[in-house]
Amino acid sequence: AQSVTQLGSHVSVSEGALVLLRCNYSSSVPPYLFWYVQYPNQGLQLLLKYTSAATLVKGINGFEAEFKKSETSFHLTKPSAHMSDAAEYFCAVSGRTGGGNKLTFGTGTQLKVEL
Amino acid sequence: GAGVSQSPSNKVTEKGKDVELRCDPISGHTALYWYRQRLGQGLEFLIYFQGNSAPDKSGLPSDRFSAERTGESVSTLTIQRTQQEDSAVYLCASSLGSSYTDTQYFGPGTRLTVL
């Protein structure tokens, strides 16, 4: 079975500061990992995904994440936060068990960006 | 092009009533997923459709929940005899195929409130 744990349900940063959202995974098979963002009153949007190619994955809006097998982590970073980055972020792992691509999500991290 | 759409956007119902939620996937997407997002929790997988294959119902929480999909188009999720614990946002996602690398595109969700 696969699972992900997101540390910190709320993270607050100043505009221009580094954004670091933590995600640790548990998987019995080599995982595929995803970060999604949910803006208020909108559906989830894919930020980036790791599918066993490069361990450093670049996504949209300046976000990136690094897959670290030794630490079972897939933390999301952005060098400089913008006010528009305020949203909820979800880490997810692919089921990879039989048919379909069932995703198992973490409980989410609400990012607040302050002036 | 058009994204995944869901209707209604909000539904308030009384305990014990049946509700039907609709999802219109992106045209040409063969895979369709339903997830549930309860307050303070991550998304939970409910059911998955792939083309004309038998759906994967492994995530449905009880036999009060059912879903149908007509070919590769519209899907409806039905909850019979609703309970208060069914209150959640129900999200639909579609993807081009069911490979682990196929991106899932999410609709805006239906917020269900059971009084």
Side-chain angles (χ1 to χ4, degrees), chain A residues 13-21 48 56-65 75-82 85 111 113:
Chain A
V13 300
S14 300
E15 191 174 34
L18 171 72
V19 176
L20 171 61
L21 305 182
L48 50 81
L56 181 63
V57 181
K58 294 187 184 298
I60 62 172
N61 301 339
F63 284 93
E64 62 181 39
H75 301 331
L76 182 70
T77 61
K78 181 174 181 178
S80 177
H82 292 171
D85 294 327
L111 176 66
V113 182

Side-chain angles (χ1 to χ4, degrees), chain B residues 62-83:
Chain B
S62 78
D63 59 8
R64 296 186 295 104
F65 288 71
S66 63
E68 292 184 348
R69 187 182 186 195
T70 307
E72 295 183 355
S73 61
V74 172
S75 176
T76 54
L77 176 69
T78 301
I79 308 173
Q80 296 179 310
R81 306 181 303 281
T82 52
Q83 304 294 312

Side-chain angles (χ1 to χ4, degrees), chain B residues 29-96:
Chain B
H29 280 195
T30 63
L32 187 147
Y33 303 80
W34 283 97
Y35 294 88
R36 176 171 71 174
Q37 184 178 21
R38 287 190 282 191
L39 192 63
Q41 300 184 27
L43 281 75
E44 306 168 69
F45 165 78
L46 296 177
I47 189 169
Y48 152 73
F49 295 89
Q50 170 60 53
N52 294 317
S53 302
D56 178 348
K57 305 179 183 179
S58 61
L60 294 179
S62 78
D63 59 8
R64 296 186 295 104
F65 288 71
S66 63
E68 292 184 348
R69 187 182 186 195
T70 307
E72 295 183 355
S73 61
V74 172
S75 176
T76 54
L77 176 69
T78 301
I79 308 173
Q80 296 179 310
R81 306 181 303 281
T82 52
Q83 304 294 312
Q84 288 183 331
E85 62 262 27
D86 299 333
S87 295
V89 177
Y90 289 82
L91 291 159
C92 174
S94 71
S95 60
L96 196 58

Side-chain angles (χ1 to χ4, degrees), chain A residues 32 49 90 98 101-102 106, chain B residues 33 42 45 56 100-101 103-104:
Chain A
Y32 287 164
K49 61 184 178 184
F90 292 92
N101 186 18
K102 292 173 283 190
Chain B
Y33 303 80
F45 165 78
D56 178 348
Y100 305 120
T101 57
T103 298
Q104 292 183 32

